[in-house]
Amino acid sequence: MIDLLSRFDSIRAVDWQGDHLRLLDQRVLPFEERFVECRSPAAVASAITDLVVRGAPAIGIAAGWATLLLVREQRSCELATLEPGLAHLVAARPTAVNLAWAVDRMRRLLATPGCTEQAVFEEAQRIEQEDLQANQRMAMLGSELIAPGSGVLTHCNTGALATAGLGTALGVIRAAWAQQKLKGVFAGETRPWNQGARLTVWELFKDGIPATLIADSAASHLMSEERVQWVIVGADRICANGDTANKVGTRQLAIAARYHGVRFMVVAPSSTIDMAMPDGSGIEIELRDPGELTHSRGVRTVAEGVDAWNPVFDVTPAGLIDALVTELGVVIRPNTRRMRDLFAAS
Ligand code: MRU
């Protein structure tokens, strides 16, 4: 099956080049395939803040490689020496827990006696490889839940662009497509940054999976026509009770899905689960520049003086989630007990 899947998975957005990190610049896709070369940890932090690299797992992977750049820049593996640089990296974006998770993993390694640059290199490589393996496993587990002849709707971009490859929610969609189970794949535009319109349908088109773009506001109508049986999304932070932060608009999709009897699947590796966060009320929601709403490609499209509010994530309550797919297993209707059981069983 993994061989079959690789036919539908050609893009790599985060690429270690031996002395620098090469990032596919996601700000200019789909019209330009341009790369940004990061030669310092600060350059990687800026690339994360500016959305050159984006998507929770990809941000974590980039942070792993940034730690290696930091070790080389400081010529030290001492945690105390590296801590300001590590803290700067974590501050690049607040909501996706994979960033803090990857840096904490590096901190633990650096705290071990005799840690070497080679060990840091191998850990960064492991973070990346484990993500791809997790995606392959989740693709299998998630696609098993989908009945043949189903239609699916996804949000934002959760594909190879957002991960080490294959994707989370898009990995499940790729697998279900490879198994010829899908009669329709729909993607919402995902305003204001248009990850669905610019990235998801491009990524799927490149890999031969025809997806249909819809305006975010068309989702309820699509559901009312019974053209989708599953909404399948990724996550940026999943709490101990299953509450899930993801790209803004996810929550309203979950509410609409419940109303229409459409099932709702979250697909994310365990690196996105934050068992230290009891529920969604504690998650910091990133607020971005209102200019992302008032301007399009640098041109103002809204009357001068009009105010805009731009939260870029929202929290879907666990009660609206039918299935949480992780590489450790599937949690049906997640709650605190079932989330604990997931980790206890692994
Ligand atoms: O602001 P972004 O583009 O980094 O937001 C990404 C999302 O919300 C994705 O849906 C999520 O990170 C899952 S990516 C596998």
Side-chain angles (χ1 to χ4, degrees), residues 24 47 51 82 93 112 121 139 165 176 213 223 251 253 255 280 299 322 328 330:
L24 178 57
L51 306 181
L82 302 176
R93 286 191 81 187
T112 57
F121 166 78
L213 181 67
M223 292 178 199
R251 179 187 171 102
L253 287 178
I255 294 168
V299 177
D322 294 294
L328 305 178
V330 176

Side-chain angles (χ1 to χ4, degrees), residues 54-57 93 156-158 162-163 168 195 234-236 246-247 313:
R54 44 136 309 273
R93 286 191 81 187
C156 195
N157 173 269
T158 64
T163 64
T168 57
Q195 290 95 329
D236 286 80
N246 192 47
K247 180 55 54 185
F313 296 97

